[in-house]
Amino acid sequence: MGRYVLRRLLQFIPVLLGTMFLLHYLQTVSIQINGNPITALFGDRQPPPQTLAAITTAFGLDDPCLQQTGNPCLGMFLDRMSGYTQGDFGVDFNRQPITRLIADAAPVTVRLTIIAVLFESLVGILAGVVAGIRKNGFADNFIRLSTTLVISVPVFVLGVLVQIGSGLYVGVWLRDNGAPEWLSAAFSVTYQTDHPWASLLVPGVVLGAFSLGFIARLTRTSLIETLRADYVRTARAKGLSRRRVVGIHALRNSLIPVVTYIGIDLGALMGGALVTEGIFNIPGVGGLVFGSVAAGETPVIIAVVTMLTLVFLLASLLVDVLYAVLDPRIRYE
Amino acid sequence: MGRRTTRRLLVGLATIAMFATACSGSDDEASTDTDSGSDTASGGSFSLALGSDPSFLAPTAQCYESTCSQVLSMLYTGLLSIDPETNEQILGDAESIDSPDGKVWTVKLKPDLKFHNGEPVDADAYVRAWNYSAYGPNATQTGFFFSPVEGYDDVAPAEGDPTAKEMSGLKVVDDQTIEITLSEAFSQWPLVMSYTPAFAPLSQECEQDLEACNEKPIGTGPYMMDGAWQHNKSITVAKWDDYTGPNSASADGIEFRLYSDPKTAFRDWQAGEVDMLDTVDPSQVPQAQALAGERFLSVDSGSFNYLGIPFYVEELQNVDIRRALSMAIDRQTIVDQVLNGLATPASDVIAPFVTGSRDDACQYCEYDPEAAKTLFDEAGGIEDNTVEIWFNNDGGHEDWVQAVAEGWKNDLGLEYSLESQPFTPYLKTLEEEGVGGPYRLGWLPDYPSAENYLDPLYGEGSSNYGQWAGPEHDAFLATIEEADAEASAEAAVPIYQEAADIVLSDLPVFPLWYGQTSIVYAENLDNVVYDPLQQIKLGDVTVS
């Protein structure tokens, strides 16, 4: 197992390097085709040539290879990599160090992701199990219908609806009726710095809602299938209690696709929280990525997306390790 | 203040800015001129939602967008400001600004001015800031404001490395006196200096550690930083007790809350979490009007929106074609129906809040479909009978561009094709003379002068993307030069109007409308006034 993990960790290196190069290349081509992103800093105004040149130089965008469409600008890439080895990750167009931007944004998104993952897996698996063991019953139909509903409502609609409902109605009512501060913060319209967990509860639920639907349905299908398996019938024939058969024998095996999904979702939630973060004004990674893509801030894009890639890789490694825990038939080595 | 809405523009804010008439509140607001730090209904604090994280707070010369200049206008007094109603100069740190000839300007500072950290605000503090700003390798965004100063080309040459670190045109005569020599007479210079972020002084402490200063700027104004800048979250300022300058500070404290989406900010305002919004999203304007009543303001933003004409497109070189096209734009209807009334049809190329703007200057801005059709046909029409209209597709412009095009189709029988790109490649296309027809752009002023709506748009080395040229353009340049050389800002105004007349007659752009911005605020606030250059005058806002 140890050697397996080590081998996987070593495989990260080429993947990350490849990611960084690909991002670098895409950004290079984007500048070559779209033009110097500095010009957009001045809005509709055409900045004087000296000003434009000075700022372009200051951000290292004066390399002549940026004028040659298709040129991968390897020199710039090597410079950037050697900067990384010295801990220099560059600055954005506001000259803020990228390490600081990430240090500010990542903890918020991590908290949001934890809430979302806890919510979607606890509620999702529970709902899936309830639906699975009472196949075609009322609970099953209800869960199937409600999860379809949740999956089909786009997050920007759901987010705004929940925001108005919880923030403008419940939240204001709570505050007017003297509820404790943390409770009204939990139902505030936007993220509040003073309540870093409470005010993320509602956004976390919104963020996790979509995946919750998937997880519930995956768990249900998978559980129904496992319940038909021979070893489950054997367990039942041995006279084990229904709770033990479902909870220990069947569910553990059924969770493999669910765990895979949650693992991939972890990475998606870290980067894909853009819409939710925007609606609830949460200063997280999603907003950072969006803003830097819109402005063409290459160093930010590369650093943040590479970080997200790393999260994906770690999550998928974790999932693979969990397989062995969940299913004794799977062995590494 | 040169407010290039940069990222906000990409997010689509450009659309909302629209409207006219400085219809803002109250009459007692222009109070900044006389009362020194007057605080009639003083006390309390309030919060203002800003649409994005400011770009820079220090060095101030990096501030060239609206959110940072809104914050900096509280932290700094500035040399002078211009009253938006009367257009009179209100001196701030300056005691007097004089010039015998428009070329050599003497700025006398008031005595005993201090930074928030106790350092003196003297001639050195100003000249230090200006030399820092202009020096090429510092790559500041507003350094070009100093291009009229003698020696600017030595510190920021168009080619090669700078040969000097300081502009030869700046001279510290004594602690209180700065002598500024321009390379040519420029009557509007005091108005240029009213853009505070570009001309604010720099303390020594700040100069030594600009990064720390950016997080916690050291200003000179009625408010000082209360704690450091919480990026993407908030900036809090508190009244500075030792302030001696003329700007008012009614509230004890102001919190700037930083949002990424104005729609979210509006819902926070509804919930009572934030007291004032500097921008209401167009989609929420009807709701804001219904909820806030008189506490919803639609104010002149100073922006001037137009369709530029590429002179390298042959069929648009005929002035009669341009006049016909301009006359066939029903500005009023588009403003009312497409822009929800949040703009004012343009009647000049100079926005109304600036001295010299006229409400009847633009003959070809009057909608007259018959005359337009006659003129268009007499001039021989356009080859292929098709016109391209260019715009950037990330600013919410599509609807009104379509309306203009439909108007041309109905009135002139002209077919059209709409061409759009995201903002950065759009600018590149303009730069490379790649557009095939009228193109959308807008202008926000840097300083309150008619000149600022003329020379930077159509002059040499300017945003003259359309390459307007020819005898009319030469006459325009000569007129601007003549006005620049006038002895005073006021005397130059009629000559700038002549230059505007040349533009309005030859139509290198079709003036469309003046922009407007919407503000909404809470019940406990009063005396909310907007000035297109200083933005919301937060120091005047009273809290009850």
Side-chain angles (χ1 to χ4, degrees):
Chain A
M1 184 69 135
R3 281 184 56 194
Y4 171 76
V5 172
L6 193 70
R7 203 170 66 232
R8 285 285 298 268
L9 285 174
L10 283 175
Q11 284 169 357
F12 283 11
I13 297 170
V15 175
L16 287 177
L17 279 174
T19 308
M20 285 191 275
F21 179 73
L22 213 60
L23 288 165
H24 164 84
Y25 188 53
L26 286 173
Q27 278 304 113
T28 308
V29 172
S30 153
I31 292 174
Q32 285 159 350
I33 292 174
N34 292 330
N36 187 350
I38 301 295
T39 50
L41 292 181
F42 289 83
D44 290 359
R45 176 179 199 128
Q46 197 169 23
Q50 295 102 304
T51 307
L52 185 62
I55 298 178
T56 306
T57 308
F59 289 109
L61 295 171
D62 55 343
D63 200 303
C65 76
L66 288 174
Q67 309 294 331
Q68 302 153 4
T69 310
N71 187 330
C73 294
L74 285 173
M76 287 180 76
F77 183 66
L78 291 178
D79 286 349
R80 182 164 281 137
M81 289 302 113
S82 76
Y84 282 8
T85 55
Q86 288 152 28
D88 174 15
F89 289 86
V91 293
D92 72 351
F93 286 159
N94 294 341
R95 308 232 172 124
Q96 298 290 336
I98 283 154
T99 39
R100 211 222 68 213
L101 295 178
I102 293 180
D104 277 1
V108 185
T109 302
V110 168
R111 284 200 296 273
L112 184 65
T113 308
I114 290 174
I115 293 172
V117 166
L118 280 180
F119 170 72
E120 70 184 32
S121 32
L122 291 181
V123 180
I125 292 174
L126 191 71
V129 170
V130 169
I133 53 181
R134 302 213 178 91
K135 193 181 154 205
N136 294 330
F138 170 76
D140 184 26
N141 284 328
F142 175 77
I143 286 166
R144 274 195 291 174
L145 188 77
S146 54
T147 50
T148 311
L149 206 68
V150 169
I151 291 171
S152 53
V153 177
V155 64
F156 57 88
V157 176
L158 183 71
V160 171
L161 286 179
V162 170
Q163 178 180 45
I164 291 173
S166 86
L168 286 185
Y169 293 96
V170 182
V172 172
W173 183 85
L174 282 173
R175 214 176 32 191
D176 292 349
N177 287 282
E181 211 178 310
W182 63 267
L183 189 62
S184 44
F187 290 95
S188 62
V189 175
T190 53
Y191 173 68
Q192 293 184 342
T193 324
D194 298 339
H195 300 276
W197 284 97
S199 61
L200 285 179
L201 279 177
V202 172
V205 167
V206 169
L207 182 62
F210 181 82
S211 301
L212 180 138
F214 264 98
I215 289 174
R217 297 178 140 252
L218 265 180
T219 313
R220 174 185 174 276
T221 321
S222 182
L223 185 65
I224 289 172
E225 211 160 289
T226 321
L227 284 176
R228 283 201 295 260
D230 291 343
Y231 78 92
V232 174
R233 199 177 318 125
T234 312
R236 228 180 255 148
K238 283 199 311 193
L240 293 179
S241 72
R242 182 179 162 80
R243 169 174 298 204
R244 197 167 165 81
V245 171
V246 175
I248 306 293
H249 293 266
L251 185 60
R252 200 170 124 177
N253 257 334
S254 321
L255 281 182
I256 285 185
V258 178
V259 165
T260 312
Y261 180 82
I262 294 175
I264 293 166
D265 202 37
L266 206 66
L269 288 177
M270 280 288 291
L274 167 65
V275 178
T276 315
E277 286 183 1
I279 293 171
F280 292 96
N281 201 41
I282 299 164
V285 174
L288 189 61
V289 174
F290 180 76
S292 55
V293 171
E297 291 167 321
T298 309
V300 189
I301 298 172
I302 295 184
V304 179
V305 176
T306 307
M307 186 190 79
L308 292 176
T309 313
L310 190 63
V311 172
F312 257 108
L313 289 172
L314 285 172
S316 62
L317 176 61
L318 190 71
V319 167
D320 286 347
V321 171
L322 273 180
Y323 283 166
V325 177
L326 289 171
D327 188 340
R329 287 169 301 184
I330 298 174
R331 288 259 185 283
Y332 298 112
E333 239 49 51
Chain B
M1 48 188 59
R3 294 169 297 126
R4 297 289 84 81
T5 41
T6 56
R7 253 160 260 184
R8 299 169 67 188
L9 182 135
L10 293 166
V11 178
L13 188 139
T15 27
I16 75 162
M18 301 287 137
F19 185 70
T21 58
C23 68
S24 52
S26 60
D27 343 313
D28 48 344
E29 86 301 279
S31 48
T32 26
D33 34 353
T34 43
D35 49 30
S36 54
S38 91
D39 27 21
T40 29
S42 111
S45 62
F46 65 97
S47 53
L48 168 72
L50 295 179
S52 67
D53 205 34
S55 53
F56 284 92
L57 295 179
T60 57
Q62 290 287 15
C63 172
Y64 198 42
E65 43 89 18
S66 54
T67 50
C68 59
S69 64
Q70 175 77 71
V71 177
L72 288 175
S73 67
M74 294 298 103
L75 295 175
Y76 284 90
T77 306
L79 282 175
L80 78 164
S81 57
I82 309 295
D83 188 298
E85 306 272 316
T86 63
N87 285 300
E88 278 167 22
Q89 294 183 7
I90 302 160
L91 293 174
D93 282 353
E95 198 170 66
S96 66
I97 300 174
D98 297 302
S99 170
D101 53 2
K103 190 171 185 319
V104 180
W105 292 83
T106 307
V107 176
K108 273 206 165 296
L109 298 173
K110 288 175 182 159
D112 303 324
L113 296 170
K114 293 264 187 289
F115 280 101
H116 293 151
N117 67 352
E119 277 182 47
V121 179
D122 51 16
D124 277 328
Y126 269 99
V127 171
R128 184 187 303 140
W130 298 350
N131 278 324
Y132 176 88
S133 169
Y135 185 58
N138 289 336
T140 64
Q141 290 200 33
T142 64
F144 68 88
F145 274 71
F146 295 95
S147 55
V149 176
E150 204 170 78
Y152 175 76
D153 289 338
D154 300 330
V155 299
E159 300 273 320
D161 292 328
T163 53
K165 287 200 88 168
E166 293 173 356
M167 289 177 280
S168 56
L170 296 183
K171 210 162 87 190
V172 176
V173 178
D174 60 48
D175 274 359
Q176 250 77 59
T177 315
I178 310 166
E179 194 184 274
I180 307 163
T181 309
L182 308 180
S183 31
E184 279 169 22
F186 187 26
S187 56
Q188 311 297 301
W189 183 247
L191 300 178
V192 178
M193 289 198 295
S194 75
Y195 180 53
T196 300
F199 288 87
L202 180 66
S203 66
Q204 276 168 310
E205 186 183 335
C206 195
E207 191 190 27
Q208 275 151 20
D209 192 348
L210 281 167
E211 273 171 40
C213 194
N214 189 34
E215 302 306 311
K216 203 173 174 184
I218 301 160
T220 64
Y223 289 94
M224 58 191 290
M225 291 294 283
D226 185 6
W229 175 3
Q230 307 281 315
H231 286 269
N232 290 307
K233 294 173 193 131
S234 66
I235 295 169
T236 312
V237 298
K239 195 166 166 171
W240 183 35
D241 291 332
D242 298 338
Y243 185 65
T244 55
N247 293 1
S248 38
S250 297
D252 289 334
I254 303 168
E255 186 191 10
F256 298 94
R257 300 270 301 271
L258 311 173
Y259 289 85
S260 52
D261 180 355
K263 293 200 275 292
T264 299
F266 180 74
R267 285 189 280 271
D268 237 0
W269 175 82
Q270 278 183 284
E273 290 286 334
V274 66
D275 298 319
M276 196 191 296
L277 257 63
D278 73 335
T279 301
V280 181
D281 189 86
S283 66
Q284 287 166 325
V285 163
Q287 204 183 351
Q289 280 168 325
L291 284 170
E294 288 190 344
R295 291 176 288 110
F296 173 85
L297 305 179
S298 283
V299 289
D300 190 348
S301 73
S303 85
F304 167 67
N305 300 276
Y306 60 91
L307 283 175
I309 305 302
F311 276 68
Y312 46 83
V313 174
E314 207 177 317
E315 45 263 42
L316 294 170
Q317 285 168 356
N318 184 337
V319 66
D320 286 334
I321 294 288
R322 297 200 293 276
R323 287 173 179 170
L325 287 172
S326 178
M327 279 196 289
I329 301 172
D330 189 354
R331 293 165 176 78
Q332 187 68 55
T333 305
I334 295 175
V335 164
D336 290 343
Q337 315 231 322
V338 183
L339 305 174
N340 296 318
L342 295 173
T344 315
S347 55
D348 197 345
V349 287
I350 303 163
F353 83 102
V354 172
T355 318
S357 175
R358 294 161 290 172
D359 53 16
D360 57 355
C362 182
Q363 186 193 344
Y364 302 106
C365 297
E366 299 286 332
Y367 179 55
D368 190 343
E370 283 98 42
K373 177 75 178 149
T374 315
L375 193 60
F376 187 73
D377 290 342
E378 279 171 9
I382 287 181
E383 216 182 296
D384 295 342
N385 203 36
T386 304
V387 66
E388 286 179 15
I389 309 180
W390 286 71
F391 60 102
N392 59 306
N393 53 19
D394 43 14
H397 302 294
E398 185 143 13
D399 290 346
W400 69 255
V401 170
Q402 177 104 32
V404 169
E406 280 295 326
W408 285 345
K409 191 175 181 180
N410 290 337
D411 297 336
L412 306 177
L414 199 55
E415 297 297 321
Y416 62 83
S417 71
L418 304 184
E419 306 285 340
S420 65
Q421 288 177 323
F423 195 53
T424 309
Y426 179 64
L427 291 178
K428 191 184 178 202
T429 309
L430 286 173
E431 177 101 359
E432 293 170 348
E433 305 186 10
V435 301
Y439 55 88
R440 176 221 77 88
L441 276 181
W443 180 257
L444 277 163
D446 296 327
Y447 43 90
S449 161
E451 185 268 346
N452 194 231
Y453 284 90
L454 296 167
D455 198 35
L457 276 90
Y458 321 107
E460 281 173 290
S462 64
S463 299
N464 185 7
Y465 285 112
Q467 304 301 329
W468 181 33
E472 287 80 10
H473 187 237
D474 296 339
F476 169 83
L477 292 179
T479 315
I480 291 287
E481 210 164 296
E482 187 190 336
D484 287 353
E486 275 299 319
S488 73
E490 298 75 36
V493 169
I495 313 177
Y496 286 125
Q497 287 179 335
E498 283 174 34
D501 285 336
I502 299 174
V503 174
L504 290 167
S505 161
D506 203 45
L507 294 177
V509 304
F510 300 159
L512 294 174
W513 36 75
Y514 311 123
Q516 180 189 41
T517 189
S518 320
I519 301 168
V520 66
Y521 56 93
E523 265 168 7
N524 63 334
L525 302 184
D526 202 6
N527 204 16
V528 178
V529 182
Y530 185 83
D531 163 354
L533 292 157
Q534 300 170 66
Q535 290 156 274
I536 307 173
K537 293 190 148 191
L538 297 171
D540 292 348
V541 173
T542 55
V543 187
S544 57

